[in-house]
Amino acid sequence: MSRYLLRRLAESVITLLLATVVVFLGIRALPGDPARTLAGEESDPETVAEISAAYGFDQPLPVQYVRYLGRALTGDLGTSPRTGLPVTDSIIHALPVTLELALLAMLIAVLIGLVAGTVAAVRRRGPLEWAANSVALMGLSVPNFWFGQMGVLLFAIYLGVLPASGFVPLVEDPVANLEHMIMPAVVLGTGLAALIMRQTRSAMLDALNDDYVRTARAKGLPGRQVIIGHALRNSLIVVTTIVGLELGVLISGAVVTESIFVLPGFGRLTLDAVFTRDYAMIQGIVLFTATAYIVLNLLVDLLYSVIDPRIRVGGVLR
């Protein structure tokens, strides 16, 4: 276990180092002079030169990268020229909103996906399976921006039971916070719920035909215990992989949903940074997103051994 953990940690560090190189070179490859962008198109050459020297744009790329990497290791991702605030502070301020949205969406997706996928597998070729497959197909087909607008039209304008936009911090008013977050979470979680449902159904169908399930039934175990304690548990490997990967997607890719519901989260911060060509902010956001993906993948790999003891027995974790 310790050797596997150390090896995965080493692989994660190398991957993160390569990610910093890609992020650094990718930002520098964007068209246009970043110093002139910060100074304005009408600025004189002296002003552009001063800004270039202040931000280190006049240094060779290797020198710029070493300085960037050294600051990033201490948590300093630079200062946004658009707001004048440290990039790290802006990310920390926006992250709780997106993290809450992502966790709520993930909770909704897992609950719906696991239940629907299990029912579809157990009640195969029945009305429940057809209903679950139809709902899953709709969840995968309907885009978030349309679903979000329809939700605002129905629940905020026609019925008036939920607010159309805005955000209230959880510590200030938990009820108002839930009222503002429930509709964006449902919009963001429906597509993921459909994906989890289809993968759970497929894994459950394979598990229900395995020898250990037939043996458990032959021993006279209750049907619920066989389905939940044996078949579903061994099907959670697929669900864990999806949840681990998609949580990073939800954190970094909630741009459309946050824009529809005017949430001051990570996605909205990303969109504003791209539109204003805030290089420091874009660089910090992409680096943070890459780090989140790497950490989540590491956690998913470690969870495999908890969910399925056969992984340990098979000698993967040694």
Side-chain angles (χ1 to χ4, degrees):
M1 176 66 178
S2 58
R3 290 179 57 187
Y4 174 80
L5 180 59
L6 290 175
R7 178 166 61 86
R8 288 294 291 115
L9 286 174
E11 292 174 355
S12 299
V13 170
I14 295 174
T15 305
L16 183 58
L17 184 62
L18 293 176
T20 62
V21 176
V22 174
V23 170
F24 178 81
L25 295 179
I27 295 298
R28 296 316 188 269
L30 292 175
D33 184 2
R36 179 165 294 279
T37 301
L38 297 176
E41 296 297 333
E42 304 298 330
S43 299
D44 55 87
E46 291 78 9
T47 303
V48 175
E50 291 178 1
I51 293 178
S52 181
Y55 284 91
F57 295 140
D58 58 341
Q59 300 292 326
L61 284 180
V63 176
Q64 293 185 45
Y65 173 74
V66 171
R67 291 177 56 186
Y68 159 71
L69 184 60
R71 291 196 303 265
L73 290 175
T74 62
D76 181 11
L77 299 178
T79 302
S80 169
R82 177 173 58 90
T83 63
L85 299 174
V87 172
T88 305
D89 292 348
S90 299
I91 292 177
I92 293 175
H93 179 74
L95 185 60
V97 181
T98 301
L99 193 58
E100 180 185 356
L101 174 62
L103 291 177
L104 282 175
M106 184 64 69
L107 178 61
I108 293 172
V110 170
L111 290 177
I112 297 176
L114 282 181
V115 173
T118 303
V119 171
V122 174
R123 303 297 184 184
R124 193 177 181 187
R125 297 187 181 92
L128 290 178
E129 182 188 17
W130 289 105
N133 286 332
S134 300
V135 173
L137 184 59
M138 290 179 59
L140 292 172
S141 304
V142 176
N144 284 353
F145 69 87
W146 184 87
F147 192 26
Q149 291 174 346
M150 293 301 102
V152 170
L153 187 64
L154 176 60
F155 294 103
I157 297 178
Y158 285 167
L159 300 179
V161 295
L162 292 175
S165 62
F167 176 75
V168 176
L170 181 64
V171 294
E172 292 184 7
D173 191 340
V175 176
N177 172 269
L178 184 60
E179 290 177 349
H180 283 81
M181 297 295 288
I182 188 63
M183 190 158 49
V186 170
V187 170
L188 195 60
T190 49
L192 181 56
L195 179 61
I196 292 176
M197 176 268 164
R198 294 175 68 88
Q199 295 297 331
T200 301
R201 174 185 174 275
S202 177
M204 282 287 294
L205 289 176
D206 292 338
L208 290 173
N209 292 321
D210 282 343
D211 293 336
Y212 66 89
V213 172
R214 286 195 289 267
T215 302
R217 285 174 172 167
K219 289 181 178 180
L221 293 179
R224 180 177 300 179
Q225 183 177 349
V226 173
I227 293 171
I228 298 177
H230 291 75
L232 181 59
R233 180 180 178 181
N234 288 285
S235 302
L236 289 179
I237 288 290
V238 177
V239 178
T240 303
T241 304
I242 296 174
V243 169
L245 296 176
E246 291 298 325
L247 183 58
V249 174
L250 293 179
I251 293 175
S252 61
V255 177
V256 175
T257 303
E258 290 184 1
S259 299
I260 292 174
F261 296 97
V262 197
L263 296 175
F266 201 65
R268 187 70 179 272
L269 183 67
T270 305
L271 197 62
D272 292 341
V274 171
F275 283 158
T276 59
R277 300 186 70 177
D278 190 339
Y279 292 101
M281 187 67 72
I282 297 174
Q283 194 168 252
I285 289 172
V286 175
L287 180 60
F288 178 85
T289 303
T291 304
Y293 269 103
I294 293 171
V295 172
L296 288 172
N297 275 277
L298 176 61
L299 293 177
V300 167
D301 288 345
L302 297 179
L303 280 175
Y304 285 161
S305 63
V306 177
I307 296 173
D308 192 348
R310 294 175 300 178
I311 295 180
R312 292 195 297 268
V313 174
V316 177
L317 297 183
R318 288 182 179 176

